[in-house]
Amino acid sequence: MSETVVTRFAPSPTGFLHIGGGRTALFNWLYARRFGGKMLLRIEDTDRERSTQAAIDAIIDGLTWLGIEWDGDTVYQFSRSARHREVAEQLLAAGKAYRCYASPQELTEMREAARREGRSKLYDGRWRDRDPSEAPTGVQPVIRLKAPQTGETIVDDQVQGRVTWQNENLDDFVLLRSDGTPTYMLAVVVDDHDMGITHIIRGDDHFNNGARQTQIYQALDWKVPVMAHIPLIHGPDGSKLSKRHGALGVDAYRAMGYLPAAMRNYLVRLGWSHGDQEIFSTEEMIAAFDLPQIGRSPARFDFAKLESLNGHYIRQTAEADLLAEIEQLLPHLAGGAELKAKLSPGVRSRLLAAMPGLKERAKTLVELIDSAGFLFADRPIALDDKAKAVMTDEARALIKAVLPDLEAVEPWSAAGAEQAVRTFAERAGVKLGAIAQPLRTALTGRVTSPGIFDVLTVLGKAESVARLRDQAGNPAG
RNA sequence: GCUCCCUUCGUCUAGCGGUCUAGGACGCGGCCCUCUCAAGGCUGAAACACGGGUUCGAUUCCCGUAGGGAGCGCCA
């Protein structure tokens, strides 16, 4: 009878939800879903100095945006400190832990001396076997685990394999601080146990902690959960992921115009694979995800691939959904508010009509919004530098010459406009491109845009003609 | 310094002793399509870190070397 899978995501609220945390959460979520289990969320806020409500909000927002849902109530670790203390006392009573009266200064000196002499910086166990009567008065002790000094501690990790530590290389670490609050090491074990966690999937940076935590489980005679330590994500140059590289909050990725589905797809393929498959719907990820396919080497973060994936998902998304995404994104963008104000029903329907041509060309939502700028620009249309170079005297002359043909198109349609322009080009003895580029420039102010006949259609006859007249040099009317 | 981990194209990866003249994807080059830019199609360049073993046979197993990473707090 196999037990139900229970995973957890346990971030410390000392900053935003970064990309590595997002992936860890995704893996936990996928694993739980795959095996019909649950994923719990625990906020590790035992560091009162650095934990903030803003960080908690950012983490929850980030997970929500990524589409990762957790089960049950969020557990706040700090609220469980009485229980943590209780377990520390229990260990003390059982002789599995002891009080250490060494002061922080004393320990610093110990480590410095160890370093000078080329010895290990581990705690030397100076209070391990001392008689309690020797305790100095007026000093609040910490409680340390009485860890085994011989033998070995084994972590049978699902990703890293079976790894063995010689116990002499592990020390008597602190369980309870002198102020009576638990350390991370103790709190994690107690909470994971009490919450019924069966699988711990977390970053590789916790791998060494895995051995220490195993010792706590053993001292308590509790069952050690299955562990899976996933490799960290590195920057493009292979070094630690820094802010400059992409160690941004997931909210930053939203602001850059990435879609949650693209983000999930990119993240799931960072360190995990399923044969040659690159594109995964959420259902496919859940169906295929498992621990053995997680690689053991760190992956570098690559914006180019993320962009490519994002472009794919943008193209896959229905026009109306894209419009909704854009409207949700606007408040997160600089200058988004003014743009939002311009979204009248008329502009929205224009945007919707132009969307097929727009989404084909955009790698991010921000690019999409930018390329849609001509739809709500005011006349006369401002030309960018490349557009100015196109707008030569000949170009103006061509626009002026084709205008009457365009004005004669009735009813206004892409097909009608196309026929008029093609016929004109033939008559004038110029290639279609020679007339299309000036038209595009006059209509959009840019040298790239969706197909010119689509632009004409979306803008409508009156607006198109007016914009063309602006550039042809003829004042309207 | 000590402990632990990692090493296939520039990047993400497939590969779990012979099927590898090493596959896919992103990126890059070329061609096609074409009103621009994309998208799409075709195509090209591009990798098993190095040195020893084990084996009839190593990208795959073992040991070194080099390089990279993580940890060594009364932080998490």
Side-chain angles (χ1 to χ4, degrees), chain A residues 398 401-402 405 420-436:
Chain A
L398 276 171
V402 77
D405 291 23
V421 174
R422 282 188 188 278
T423 306
F424 169 84
E426 225 169 283
R427 176 154 39 87
V430 298
K431 284 188 170 178
L432 184 58
I435 178 71

Side-chain angles (χ1 to χ4, degrees), chain A residues 12-14 43-53 55-56:
Chain A
S12 58
T14 53
I43 302 293
E44 310 220 316
D45 56 351
T46 51
D47 183 346
R48 304 315 286 169
E49 296 291 308
R50 299 196 300 154
S51 298
T52 65
Q53 185 58 44
I56 293 172

